[in-house]
Amino acid sequence: MSRAICLAMLCALHANALASPRTDPTRGRAVFTGAATPDATSIEVNPAALGLGNPNSQIYVAATATLDHLTITDRMLDIDTGALSDGDRVSGNLLSPGGMAAYVWHPTNRIALGVAFHTSPAERFLEDKEAVRYHTLGGSHRTYAPSIASSFRLTNRVHFGLSLAVHTSYLRLQFARDVPLAAGRDPQRGIDSDCGGAVCSIENPQGTERYDVDVSSDIVALDNVVGTLGVVVRIAREIYLGIAYHTPPGLSIQNELTGTVNVERAPRDAAGMTIEGGATVYISQPPSVDAELRMKLPANLELHVGGRYEWLSRMQGYDVRSYDAAFARNGIPEWQPRARGFNNSFAMWAGLEQAAQEFPLTVGGRIGFETASVPDNRTSPMTIAPASLTLDTGVQYRLTRNQDVRPQVVLQLAYGIQYFPTVDVTNSEFDPRDQLSCYDSGYDYSIPACEAVRHGYAIGTAAGEYTRIQQAMRLALRFTW
């Protein structure tokens, strides 16, 4: 047993896991889940919590989904005067399904083991909206992960847990490049060159080149292993504190996804011509910490106070590299950073839930707050994440009338909504004038304009008004015997 534990911890410390930058809202924050709650979702949230509660084996299956509603009023920038004017209003409903299947087993009263396979709802990006094409034309980021977990009761008050998951990550990025802007003031290809008989300037459809990047991590590799270390402490009778640390992407500064890129040339350069090549995307992924205090109250109620801290600042963007023999002679760049600009974020929630009782129906609810994970001036059609409010509710119904009878079947439904107040961006860090200033400096990368180019902000402005509402759902069935 000790050799297995040491091997597992070694894998965790050398993990290079890949996952969507935002944590699944249907786990941890959702009713009936949490870092101190004995549930099959604890395999991922805090494996130490598997050892709490009823020592019966269980099979758990769940269907999950998120639905993002986005509305953007785009603003156009006059590069000569710096004036902004309202452009198009675009909106989208981005539905993303997920799911989980798990088995939890208690071989002794001190040990609990779990296995699971899950895919969280993907992070999806607005697609086919020409007004925001230089930021996104579509795509998503999804992971699939089998997991194993164990919980050990070290003392009557302390449980320790460890889980390992192998994440396979799939990323697709679709976007456009403003070829004249990228060429600066070059007389042959820059903003003053010809686009169908007129001066190109910026955001001219004749000078728009389109990219479709499709990459993934290896299906099975040590570089895909992620570990979670957790502990649950019984502070007093029916009062539990759970804390879990989710490892960062290993010892690597960046993680590597490989695949292909299709480039559709700008109409003014070669209308209808598409070139295919190889692509590599480098991503720096965040670690995170989950915590929860669970306390039994009178009237068969439980108080749940939870929180999560994510080091999202590690992920400043997607570092996109493309390569093919034909790219250089067609002016297709080898390197294109796609900025995200995340900040570290903290979320906290609190609520009441009914504990298991003779009556088969139990309910619960939670309210919460999450700090902004992107500054207003870095908000873009790809990343809308100001400070937000959350509201989660859930019901579960025991199909077996007697709570002491086994086997037992429980149906569970949880629903959450996250409201992001409207963000009005007038001073966007995405500024095409930086590309021109950098060109005029002779690409002096010591100046702020060239720094913006290097980090992917010197593209079409992201100024505008942004509204977002996210809904999250989980429908689960738990079979215990």
Side-chain angles (χ1 to χ4, degrees):
M1 178 67 72
S2 60
R3 180 183 297 178
I5 294 173
C6 289
L7 178 60
M9 293 183 70
L10 181 64
C11 292
L13 290 172
H14 289 81
N16 288 332
L18 289 166
S20 177
R22 305 311 307 275
T23 304
D24 184 352
T26 70
R27 292 201 311 259
R29 192 190 86 193
V31 175
F32 308 125
T33 70
T37 300
D39 184 78
T41 58
S42 297
I43 292 173
E44 296 289 336
V45 179
N46 183 3
L50 292 175
L52 304 177
N54 199 310
N56 296 102
S57 298
Q58 65 172 276
I59 292 175
Y60 177 92
V61 293
T64 63
T66 58
L67 177 63
D68 264 304
H69 177 71
L70 310 179
T71 302
I72 303 171
T73 301
D74 181 49
R75 293 199 178 103
M76 303 291 291
L77 175 69
D78 187 314
I79 59 171
D80 295 319
T81 66
L84 293 170
S85 59
D86 284 346
D88 295 329
R89 186 175 186 271
V90 300
S91 63
N93 293 301
L94 308 179
L95 175 66
S96 182
M100 178 179 183
Y103 171 62
V104 179
W105 176 45
H106 295 258
T108 74
N109 61 2
R110 300 180 66 91
I111 298 174
L113 304 174
V115 295
F117 181 84
H118 85 274
T119 176
S120 299
E123 182 184 27
R124 291 189 56 199
F125 310 121
L126 272 174
E127 57 187 38
D128 300 327
K129 306 296 182 183
E130 288 296 309
V132 298
R133 62 186 180 274
Y134 299 111
H135 296 273
T136 178
L137 282 169
S140 64
H141 191 179
R142 176 182 290 277
T143 61
Y144 297 88
S147 306
I148 58 173
S150 57
S151 173
F152 305 91
R153 180 160 59 85
L154 302 180
T155 72
N156 289 334
R157 290 180 176 271
V158 179
H159 286 77
F160 169 79
L162 170 68
S163 70
L164 298 172
V166 181
H167 286 234
T168 303
S169 185
Y170 294 85
L171 173 66
R172 190 173 183 187
L173 298 174
Q174 296 172 289
F175 57 92
R177 183 172 76 104
D178 190 338
V179 176
L181 175 64
R185 302 188 191 277
D186 181 279
Q188 302 300 317
R189 295 181 55 79
I191 62 171
D192 296 322
S193 62
D194 179 71
C195 280
V199 174
C200 289
S201 189
I202 65 171
E203 301 193 19
N204 192 317
Q206 287 293 314
T208 299
E209 197 167 65
R210 297 169 189 271
Y211 289 74
D212 187 347
V213 178
D214 193 353
V215 294
S216 64
S217 60
D218 293 335
I219 295 178
V220 178
L222 286 178
D223 284 350
N224 296 344
V225 177
V226 63
T228 298
L229 301 173
V231 63
V232 175
V233 179
R234 181 166 60 85
I235 298 173
R237 181 177 175 84
E238 301 297 336
I239 301 177
Y240 297 90
L241 175 64
I243 300 175
Y245 174 71
H246 310 280
T247 61
L251 300 179
S252 299
I253 296 175
Q254 293 179 315
N255 303 112
E256 180 180 305
L257 288 75
T258 58
T260 61
V261 57
N262 285 301
V263 184
E264 182 183 330
R265 301 294 311 284
R268 72 156 196 183
D269 295 328
M273 178 181 176
T274 299
I275 305 175
E276 180 178 344
T280 300
V281 178
Y282 297 94
I283 312 174
S284 295
Q285 292 288 324
S288 62
V289 172
D290 276 286
E292 183 187 40
L293 178 70
R294 179 168 64 94
M295 178 187 303
K296 188 71 176 292
L297 299 177
N300 202 41
L301 294 176
E302 285 186 347
L303 171 68
H304 291 255
V305 178
R308 177 181 296 125
Y309 190 83
E310 294 183 84
W311 280 267
L312 285 167
S313 60
R314 291 193 69 216
M315 184 172 178
Q316 290 303 303
Y318 297 117
D319 185 346
V320 180
R321 311 293 177 103
S322 53
Y323 36 87
D324 186 83
F327 282 3
R329 66 173 179 266
N330 286 285
I332 298 170
E334 176 186 342
W335 176 49
Q336 290 195 75
R338 308 298 299 169
R340 300 298 301 273
F342 283 113
N343 281 338
N344 295 341
S345 71
F346 174 70
M348 187 172 184
W349 52 86
L352 297 175
E353 297 173 15
Q354 289 180 303
Q357 57 187 0
E358 184 175 347
F359 189 69
L361 181 69
T362 56
V363 300
R366 301 178 183 182
I367 58 173
F369 171 79
E370 184 172 334
T371 62
S373 55
V374 67
D376 286 357
N377 65 347
R378 288 188 173 182
T379 297
S380 74
M382 279 191 73
T383 313
I384 307 171
S388 60
L389 301 174
T390 61
L391 175 64
D392 292 87
T393 186
V395 298
Q396 60 180 9
Y397 183 78
R398 188 179 65 249
L399 301 182
T400 309
R401 302 294 294 183
N402 189 331
Q403 65 174 331
D404 297 321
V405 171
R406 297 291 184 274
Q408 189 179 102
V409 180
V410 175
L411 184 65
Q412 187 182 94
L413 174 64
Y415 170 81
I417 187 167
Q418 187 167 10
Y419 170 67
F420 299 83
T422 299
V423 177
D424 192 351
V425 181
T426 57
N427 185 27
S428 176
E429 194 155 329
F430 293 89
D431 192 332
R433 293 172 297 181
D434 286 331
Q435 178 69 52
L436 303 178
S437 297
C438 185
Y439 177 90
D440 293 340
S441 74
Y443 294 97
D444 178 0
Y445 280 98
S446 66
I447 68 172
C450 287
E451 183 179 356
V453 172
R454 189 168 62 249
H455 291 104
Y457 290 100
I459 62 176
T461 182
E465 190 174 88
Y466 294 82
T467 300
R468 178 186 178 193
I469 297 175
Q470 183 185 74
Q471 301 175 76
M473 291 75 65
R474 174 180 288 266
L475 177 63
L477 184 70
R478 185 173 67 243
F479 179 76
T480 305
W481 70 94

